[in-house]
Amino acid sequence: MTAAAADPIQDMPFRFELRVALAYFAIFTSSGMHLPYFPLWLEYRALTPTQISIVLSMPLFVRVIAAPLVSMLADRSNDRAHILTMATILAVIVAAFYFVPFGFIGILIVSLMLAPPWTSQVPLADTIALSGVRRFGADFAKMRVWGSISFLLTSFVGGVFIQQVGEHIIPWALLATLVAACGMSFIVPRIGKPRRLSPLSDVDIADAGRALRRPAFVTFLIATGITQASHAYGYSFSAIYWKSIGIEETMIGALWSISVVAEVIMFTFFRRLFGRLHPAKVLIIGSAAAMFRWAVFPLIAPAGLGVAGFLAVQSLHAFSFALSFLGMQKMIALTIPEERGGTAQGLSTFFIGTSLAIATMASGPLYSASGIYGFYVMVVLAACGLALAIVALRLEQREG
């Protein structure tokens, strides 16, 4: 396996890690509001489960086309941070249209228009952070963890707020979080154009392209995408399910928050616990945890375990999501040169987004037909991710 050589460590820009961490914090506030509670607002607007799954999934299909294009544009820009700021401004403008009293079609159109500028923000921030890892020896997990902390706080506080005020406030809260991300994008360090590799590197431009096309890397991307797609059912309908069995919004926020607490712990201790493992082995562990998580989820309420049981299962997010995500970032950092880093992030977004979009689209009819037991389909998805992760590991061993 050919590894991407890093540039020699240089002086880090003033407060680089802090400024990127603050950007992550601001960007993830919108996710902390949208992911747990936007389905509740769609239900409040009288959309059916199938319509809800369409509104949630169709922007993901747009994302898989837009995010790689935005990432490649960022690779060719004078500074990726400028592209990030432009994306946050556009997201604020588009999100304001949620206040127009549209029905299903109107809400869908606004969501489709919002997808490119909004969903490209995290991959852009990831690319900037990884450039800091390569150039200055910055700690990626130390920066990225603040996105998880932001999600945690927003999802919990949002639940309390929505329970007090009502679901009609959700678009206002979402817009406020997007405005915050826009403001914070201006403090992201400007470090100039993406850099080519050091002349000392044994990886030239042709090798950079080949690194993105290696069978092991592509298989790893697909495996990650399928494992992440197994979360689609929970992302789309867990809040609606919990509310249907009498769990209030405040506790729904706590259930989302505990998953992110576990995620934060994983980000904090990843390097110490899993830093020496090959990325494919990291993904194997994450996929196995996802299988267990979705197999147990439908059994909690029938077993009478209540909120405590859901809290325990939600804590597995540290492995099913966070570990799988960090394995992907480690694979990119180890094998892809910096000048193709944005493209690699875009490809990652493509494979994850496509898988997640398809699974989300299927979740609406599946929830209407089988309710909570649709999670068993997610077990099958996670098992496919696990199998492909094993294949990726074997391909790496052959190429090495």
Side-chain angles (χ1 to χ4, degrees):
M1 179 182 69
T2 302
D7 284 320
I9 300 300
Q10 300 177 353
D11 290 338
M12 191 180 300
F14 179 74
R15 302 289 189 184
F16 179 89
E17 291 179 333
L18 174 62
R19 291 158 67 189
V20 174
L22 288 172
Y24 272 125
F25 189 93
I27 289 170
F28 274 84
T29 57
S30 57
S31 297
M33 182 56 60
H34 185 278
L35 192 57
Y37 304 116
F38 196 68
L40 291 179
W41 182 69
L42 296 176
E43 186 182 49
Y44 166 79
R45 293 296 301 271
L47 272 64
T48 66
T50 297
Q51 290 174 331
I52 290 172
S53 68
I54 292 172
V55 170
L56 296 177
S57 64
M58 291 304 293
L60 297 177
F61 286 109
V62 174
R63 173 188 178 183
V64 302
I65 298 172
L69 295 177
V70 173
S71 296
M72 287 187 283
L73 173 64
D75 282 350
R76 291 166 172 78
S77 68
N78 289 327
D79 199 302
R80 288 164 174 154
H82 296 327
I83 306 300
L84 175 61
T85 296
M86 291 173 57
T88 62
I89 293 171
L90 288 173
V92 169
I93 294 171
V94 174
F97 284 92
Y98 277 128
F99 299 106
V100 179
F102 291 130
F104 163 62
I105 296 298
I107 293 172
L108 175 60
I109 291 173
V110 175
S111 298
L112 291 172
M113 293 175 61
L114 180 60
W118 181 43
T119 61
S120 63
Q121 293 174 26
V122 174
L124 285 170
D126 287 340
T127 304
I128 293 168
L130 286 174
S131 288
V133 173
R134 291 186 173 100
R135 296 191 196 184
F136 319 118
D139 186 336
F140 178 80
K142 182 179 178 181
M143 295 179 285
R144 178 59 171 74
V145 70
W146 286 97
S148 301
I149 293 171
S150 171
F151 188 102
L152 185 162
L153 294 175
T154 306
S155 59
F156 180 75
V157 174
V160 176
F161 188 58
I162 292 167
Q163 185 173 333
Q164 296 296 321
V165 180
E167 284 87 351
H168 68 275
I169 201 65
I170 292 173
W172 289 97
L174 178 61
L175 181 62
T177 61
L178 292 171
V179 170
C182 181
M184 199 60 69
S185 72
F186 286 94
I187 75 163
V188 173
R190 268 57 179 173
I191 57 177
K193 291 178 68 67
R195 302 176 63 177
R196 292 188 58 175
L197 295 176
S198 164
L200 299 177
S201 173
D202 62 353
V203 182
D204 57 20
I205 294 301
D207 287 333
R210 285 194 290 271
L212 292 169
R213 298 190 299 269
R214 290 187 309 111
F217 183 72
V218 174
T219 303
F220 189 93
L221 284 176
I222 297 172
T224 303
I226 292 176
T227 296
Q228 295 290 359
S230 72
H231 294 72
Y233 206 68
Y235 289 163
S236 301
F237 291 103
S238 61
I240 292 174
Y241 168 71
W242 285 327
K243 190 173 181 182
S244 74
I245 61 175
I247 298 177
E248 296 181 340
E249 285 87 350
T250 299
M251 188 53 64
I252 290 173
L255 289 170
W256 277 95
S257 296
I258 194 65
S259 68
V260 185
V261 169
E263 179 182 316
V264 169
I265 293 172
M266 180 59 71
F267 275 112
T268 302
F269 294 102
F270 171 77
R271 183 177 289 184
R272 184 181 305 173
L273 298 176
F274 300 99
R276 296 185 179 182
L277 285 183
H278 187 280
K281 293 182 179 179
V282 172
L283 180 57
I284 288 169
I285 297 171
S287 300
M291 290 178 61
F292 180 75
R293 181 182 180 184
W294 308 133
V296 171
F297 200 105
L299 306 177
I300 300 299
L305 299 177
V307 171
F310 286 119
L311 287 171
V313 171
Q314 286 293 91
S315 68
L316 292 174
H317 197 69
F319 295 90
S320 65
F321 169 78
L323 200 59
S324 301
F325 170 81
L326 288 168
M328 181 74 260
Q329 298 305 315
K330 184 175 182 180
M331 176 66 88
I332 291 174
L334 287 177
T335 65
I336 305 300
E338 184 184 354
E339 76 273 8
R340 294 300 181 94
T343 303
Q345 291 290 348
L347 288 171
S348 172
T349 299
F350 175 83
F351 283 106
I352 293 173
T354 300
S355 302
L356 190 61
I358 294 171
T360 302
M361 176 71 77
S363 292
L366 184 62
Y367 188 78
S368 295
S370 57
I372 192 63
Y373 298 104
F375 272 110
Y376 291 125
V377 177
M378 302 299 108
V379 176
V380 175
L381 279 182
C384 292
L386 174 62
L388 285 173
I390 294 172
V391 172
L393 178 61
R394 292 179 177 174
L395 288 172
E396 281 283 354
Q397 292 170 341
R398 290 178 185 175
E399 292 177 7

